């Protein structure tokens, strides 16, 4: 599997609203290269971390509520809300009584239910609260704060890419368009693309620009991997496979859980 420019451009167009242009060649190259998702997440993570860096570098303290509002707003401006829609759909499906077919029917309904509203609210709240603590980390070491955000983004995209490699779609759609082109061997390339994110902390510590919590990015990455495992098991049991909504929700949940895991690792260091 080769990470071509076309595959990276396709992944960036899929994962964000960055104006890289979209065409059939880039999409096809991306479909065959799930490792492109964590590969482009390094740049995306650095972009997403800008509000944290700004709040850290400003000469006057930025109130926590301002940071809590700015980070999710900026994140969804950069990445779009397509994946967040997956959180809403899975939230609705999770509270439905019935079999996998019934849950899939609910996910296709454009109306937002209580389960979906709660899932989105919890996701945004979790991101906002993690952002405020990431700024606290940034005031001690900006490099470590940015490394945490980048690692969480890489982990989130890597989690979705892992599901593309091992999952099977229950119906035609975005999920099948991606999972049909990959297999379990693709996990090796996804891991190779994502693993350097765990080394951001040790590298910063070795260079003398970070503090002694070198395992913080690794904690974020490991937590995202755990979300992928749980998400795959839940999707197979409750939905009959991995759909596009599952991929989107996995990305959003893994990002939030990854940042919180890194923050917890920081507080314990």
């Amino acid at each position: 599997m080769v990470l071509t420019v076309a595959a990276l451009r396709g992944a960036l167009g899929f994962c964000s609203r960055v104006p890289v242009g979209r065409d059939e060649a880039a999409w096809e190259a991306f479909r065959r290269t799930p490792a492109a998702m964590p590969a482009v997440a390094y740049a995306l993570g650095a972009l997403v971390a800008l509000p944290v860096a700004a709040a850290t570098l400003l000469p006057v303290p930025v109130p926590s509520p301002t940071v809590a509002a700015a980070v999710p707003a900026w994140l969804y401006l950069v990445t779009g809300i397509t994946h967040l829609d997956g959180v809403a759909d899975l939230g609705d499906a999770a509270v439905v009584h019935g079999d996998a077919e019934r849950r899939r029917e609910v996910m296709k309904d454009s109306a937002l239910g209580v389960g979906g509203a709660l899932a989105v609210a919890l996701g945004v709240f979790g991101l906002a609260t993690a952002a405020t603590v990431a700024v606290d980390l940034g005031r001690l070491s900006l490099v470590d704060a940015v490394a945490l955000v980048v690692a969480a983004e890489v982990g989130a995209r890597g989690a979705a890419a892992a599901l593309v490699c091992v999952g099977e779609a229950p119906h035609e759609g975005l999920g099948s368009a991606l999972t049909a082109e990959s297999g379990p061997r693709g996990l090796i390339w996804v891991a190779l693309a994502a693993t350097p994110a765990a080394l951001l902390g040790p590298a910063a510590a070795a260079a003398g620009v970070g503090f002694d919590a070198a395992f913080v990015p690794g904690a974020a990455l490991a937590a995202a991997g755990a979300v992928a495992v749980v998400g795959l098991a839940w999707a197979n049991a409750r939905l009959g496979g991995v759909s596009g909504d599952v991929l989107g929700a996995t990305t959003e949940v893994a990002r939030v859980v990854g940042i919180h895991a890194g923050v917890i690792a920081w507080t314990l260091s």
Side-chain angles (χ1 to χ4, degrees):
M1 184 180 295
V2 179
L3 285 172
T4 64
V5 173
L8 294 173
R9 187 161 60 85
L12 197 56
F14 177 79
C15 295
S16 75
R17 299 178 69 232
V18 176
V20 293
R22 300 184 182 186
D23 55 56
E24 190 66 22
W27 166 249
E28 289 298 325
F30 162 62
R31 281 207 310 145
R32 297 190 297 269
T33 319
M37 281 193 275
V40 301
Y42 291 89
L44 271 182
L47 192 58
V48 168
L50 286 179
V52 173
T56 301
L57 295 173
L58 286 175
V60 294
V62 178
S64 294
T66 302
V67 174
V71 170
W74 174 249
L75 170 70
Y76 293 120
L77 180 65
V78 172
T79 65
I81 61 172
T82 302
H83 299 323
L84 195 61
D85 182 65
V87 175
D89 287 341
L90 260 65
D92 283 336
V95 299
V96 168
H97 296 289
D99 57 13
E101 184 176 355
R102 171 59 182 153
R103 293 188 180 92
R104 293 197 297 267
E105 288 177 0
V106 170
M107 290 168 64
K108 294 177 183 178
D109 191 341
S110 59
L112 179 63
V114 175
L118 178 60
V120 171
L122 287 175
V124 175
F125 177 74
L127 180 63
T129 53
T132 61
V133 187
V135 171
D136 292 336
L137 169 59
R139 292 190 175 109
L140 293 176
S141 170
L142 177 57
V143 171
D144 287 293
V146 172
L148 169 58
V149 175
V150 171
E153 191 65 26
V154 172
R157 303 300 177 174
L163 294 195
V164 169
C165 293
V166 300
E168 293 185 8
H171 55 76
E172 292 292 325
L174 177 61
S176 63
L178 294 175
T179 58
E181 296 294 329
S182 301
R185 289 184 179 180
L187 281 175
I188 298 174
W189 297 100
V190 171
L192 288 174
T195 298
L199 306 178
L200 293 174
V209 295
F211 60 92
D212 198 27
F215 52 85
V216 166
L221 208 62
V227 169
V229 173
V230 173
L232 178 64
W234 186 88
N236 286 338
R238 299 293 182 176
L239 302 175
V242 174
S243 64
D245 282 331
V246 172
L247 297 177
T250 297
T251 300
E252 296 294 326
V253 174
R255 180 192 293 117
V256 172
V257 172
I259 294 179
H260 274 281
V263 167
I264 293 171
W266 168 53
T267 59
L268 295 176
S269 64

